[in-house]
Amino acid sequence: MATDNLAEKIPDFNSSAAPKGGNGPVDVTALASIRRAKGFKEIISVLALAVVVVTLLEFILIWSNTEAYVFPKPTAIIQSLFTDFSTLYREPLIQTVQTFFLGLLIGSTIGLSLAVLVTLKPKLDIFISPYIIILVTTPMVALIPFLMLKFGFGITPRVIAISLATGPMVMINSATGFRRTNAELIALGKSYGATEFQLFRKIRFPFALPMIIVGFMVGSIFGLLTAVGAEMVGGGMGLGNRLIYFSSLVQMAQFGAVLVIVATLGVGIYSFFTFVNRKWASWDV
Amino acid sequence: MTQAIRIKITDVSKIYQSETKTVEAVKNFSESVKDGEFVCVVGASGCGKTTLLWCLSGLHPVTLGTVHIDGELLTKPLPDRVGMVFQDSNLLPWLTLMQNIELPFQIKKKPVNHELVEELLEVAGLKGFENSYPGELSGGMKQRGSIVRALAQDPEVLLMDEPFGALDAFTREEMNLFLLKVWEQTKKTIVFVTHSISEAIFLADRVWVMSPRPGRLSRIVDVNFERPRHIDLQFEPRFIEILKSIRKDVEGSKARQGN
């Protein structure tokens, strides 16, 4: 495309900036660099393709006489979303979102604090990191049965699991961001007599911000996975529980509707952090 | 001329110690810099010239010996008296040029000296770019910006660590002329580290030649060319003569080290 070629020729003065990549054990930062549709025309064509795919799916399901319990028609799902929203979906949605936000708040606060701690006291890192790796690599949903024995069927076990899923992600990415800070920038700050706190506030934190935002994005997505997964395991609340419920009753249109809501939540989280990244950390892109 | 001594370096040694080895980066270095003098430090890479500069800035403590600035023993950075310019412009990419220049004032909790900043921006040819982000500026402009940031603090001493090392030859010449212009106007004391011998001769009143491992002062060359200097100076025989002689020293010290 003509515009793309033009963009390539504009000199990039930033090419010698801080090295990208090598973002610690969990490199999911690529999520932040997926190309977005630009301009009205591109958005329209992306939407048009989506409509075509969904319509095609609808017709294939009609022509092949597929029963609703095998695969629900898109129209049935959309209809259920509109007619049953307040009766079937609103309450579980609110429950899931509340649990998710509570877990994210607790997890990310702890994660960010730990990241600051290991930045200021690097020696602690070797003691903390192994546990963080274990937490990152273990699916926190697996803890739910155990946590329910301990804390009952309420919101507590799920909030704990979500915190454990989000916190380490926020921590790893933030710590990597803090550590990546150019040594010369720190020297510059010191040569102007900056205190440790000033160095942190004026240089380390803004420098790490893009990585922190990515940490929050990945953490939130892991948190949502854990929230829905945990609800599927037990507790009788939230969207995850509805998935189990509708599939066991073979109400596949309703099942599909819940799935669409969950997917929308995920995309919403992704879009939100992409927006935040562009707003406050565009210099790094 | 009886000029006051700005920087006095007495028997300075700097030893870096890591887990596996000990490096004697600078050894028994003694010299002084007069007020308003432009000193360039040259030498093969790894000869300790950057280490020496960092010792003068107070960012790295010396292992042995002393550094005095205006008679005061240096133990930590002196933000009001000594400015530092690095090889990379080190402008913070999330701040505009103006915000970058104002940052040191904020760190020191002092009001911004707008008059001086405006004047420096004018000299640096950066008027109209105050609200640009570093990513939108060329390499030369960024480096001029970082020099403006340092000079806006009105330090008596400016320490420069290969500030033009990353620039292309033409931009580098431009920057040399810019720096000389600023220096002639402000009469700061400058210690300028470079690996380019011709740059050193072109800029300096005196060139300190260092020999590596351990880094020592091997020779001091007085450069008495008239000022203001013209860019064609570097093609004149008297310039080339000094260039050759320093070059021989640096190469010689490299060859000795290779044995």
Side-chain angles (χ1 to χ4, degrees), chain B residues 79-103:
Chain B
D80 290 324
R81 277 191 264 167
V82 181
M84 186 122 176
V85 176
F86 300 83
Q87 174 163 9
D88 198 79
S89 71
N90 281 343
L91 295 176
L92 305 179
W94 54 89
L95 299 180
T96 63
L97 179 62
M98 200 49 154
Q99 290 170 328
N100 265 293
I101 293 168
E102 287 171 352
L103 180 74

Side-chain angles (χ1 to χ4, degrees), chain B residues 3 6 34-38 151 154-158 179-190 205 227-228:
Chain B
Q3 276 171 294
R6 256 308 170 212
K34 291 193 281 281
D35 181 30
E37 194 176 23
F38 200 135
L151 288 173
D154 203 16
E156 291 142 19
V157 177
L158 198 57
L179 184 60
L180 282 183
K181 191 164 88 179
V182 171
W183 176 68
E184 273 150 22
Q185 283 178 12
T186 58
K187 283 292 164 196
K188 303 286 176 201
T189 307
I190 299 183
D205 291 323
R227 296 188 188 268

Side-chain angles (χ1 to χ4, degrees), chain A residues 181-198:
Chain A
T181 313
N182 191 322
E184 273 199 355
L185 289 184
I186 300 294
L188 175 90
K190 281 186 182 162
S191 80
Y192 290 122
T195 60
E196 270 305 321
F197 179 69
Q198 281 178 323

Side-chain angles (χ1 to χ4, degrees), chain A residues 13 184 198 202 206 283, chain B residues 90 94 106-107 137 142 149:
Chain A
F13 297 126
E184 273 199 355
Q198 281 178 323
K202 302 257 182 211
W283 57 272
Chain B
N90 281 343
W94 54 89
Q106 289 169 7
I107 289 176
L137 301 174
K142 277 193 275 198
R149 175 175 59 188

Side-chain angles (χ1 to χ4, degrees), chain A residues 192-208:
Chain A
Y192 290 122
T195 60
E196 270 305 321
F197 179 69
Q198 281 178 323
L199 286 178
F200 203 87
R201 204 168 68 90
K202 302 257 182 211
I203 297 174
R204 274 193 205 276
F205 186 77
F207 196 90

